[in-house]
Amino acid sequence: MPLTLALHTSAWREDWDAAFAAARDAGYSHIEAFCLPHGAVPGPDLRTALEEYGLALAAMEFGGDWVTPERAGVELDGARRMLKRLRDAGGTTLVASGGRLPPGGATPVDYAILAAAMETLGAECRAQGVALAFHPRQGTLVGFRDQIHLMMRSTDAVSVGLCLDTGEAALCGCDPWELLETYGARIRHVHLRDVDWFTHDVAPPGEGELDLDALLRRLQHHDYNGVVTVEPERIAQPEAAARAAREFVQAALEA
């Protein structure tokens, strides 16, 4: 089954024209936006702006606190506004990340609150025909393998899916292959990033040491029908990296 490839706009911040032009020129058909501010897009609306560049919206990512009492409601309202923008623009997946890690360490109550927030958001996404994919991240409540397992065990498999970020997972000591094999049916979205173990940082696909060629082919074996997003962040020339990453993915799938 062909994979849908998207380009993440994070490297261009809020310069949407530059991000959309980079995606178009590098041969992508879709984009993903991170915490898109209300109204901060070129043109009358996001769908129209994307159509001018021959692109479609795959997903939006919303990072939130979720568990601090004074922030929980604010974050959920923000995610709902993004969900509306996502639907209006024709997107299919809301990626949720976060869960503030308390200075003294997390408690079982923190994880229960986070799981409940994701179930609430997931149910609202389902009602609007959108998939919710939870994104584990370093420095949050969910990043390491046991935390991912707890999150998946504590949430409904239909409402709350998983975003597999290959680079983030590896930097947290997880095996992206193992996560794919364990949670294949719950993986609703993929962020494809490599890892440079010398700098201990993420790298564009094909420029690090992860076996992403084989992982991409394994995704197809699992009949994965979601989106694979490339994130060329933290580099000086994201346009060139975006083009090289698309070529890497194409070569991997044709091998």
Side-chain angles (χ1 to χ4, degrees), residues 15-101:
D15 190 348
W16 305 112
D17 282 313
F20 297 165
R24 177 200 60 200
D25 295 346
Y28 290 83
S29 59
H30 291 70
I31 63 105
E32 177 177 342
F34 180 76
C35 289
L36 192 68
H38 181 69
V41 292
D45 60 63
L46 180 57
R47 186 194 290 264
T48 300
L50 285 167
E51 288 175 351
E52 291 175 356
Y53 286 88
L55 299 169
L57 179 67
M60 288 182 179
E61 182 177 350
F62 185 89
D65 183 323
W66 305 114
V67 295
T68 303
E70 60 269 22
R71 290 295 307 169
V74 175
E75 306 292 23
L76 192 55
D77 287 344
R80 286 167 174 153
R81 289 194 296 273
M82 182 173 281
L83 174 59
K84 182 180 185 306
R85 296 208 69 200
L86 176 73
R87 278 202 64 221
D88 290 347
T92 58
T93 305
L94 180 64
V95 181
S97 60
R100 182 173 177 270
L101 190 63

Side-chain angles (χ1 to χ4, degrees), residues 121-175:
L121 184 58
E124 294 184 16
C125 286
R126 281 185 63 206
Q128 298 189 49
V130 171
L132 176 68
F134 182 78
H135 187 328
R137 283 191 177 278
Q138 297 180 81
T140 69
L141 283 173
V142 182
F144 297 107
R145 181 64 182 83
D146 58 338
Q147 297 166 341
I148 296 173
H149 178 63
L150 175 61
M151 188 64 180
M152 293 294 96
R153 189 181 64 199
S154 303
T155 51
D156 174 59
V158 177
S159 297
V160 182
L162 179 66
C163 173
L164 173 61
D165 185 318
T166 55
E168 192 85 23
L171 289 175
C172 286
C174 302
D175 180 352

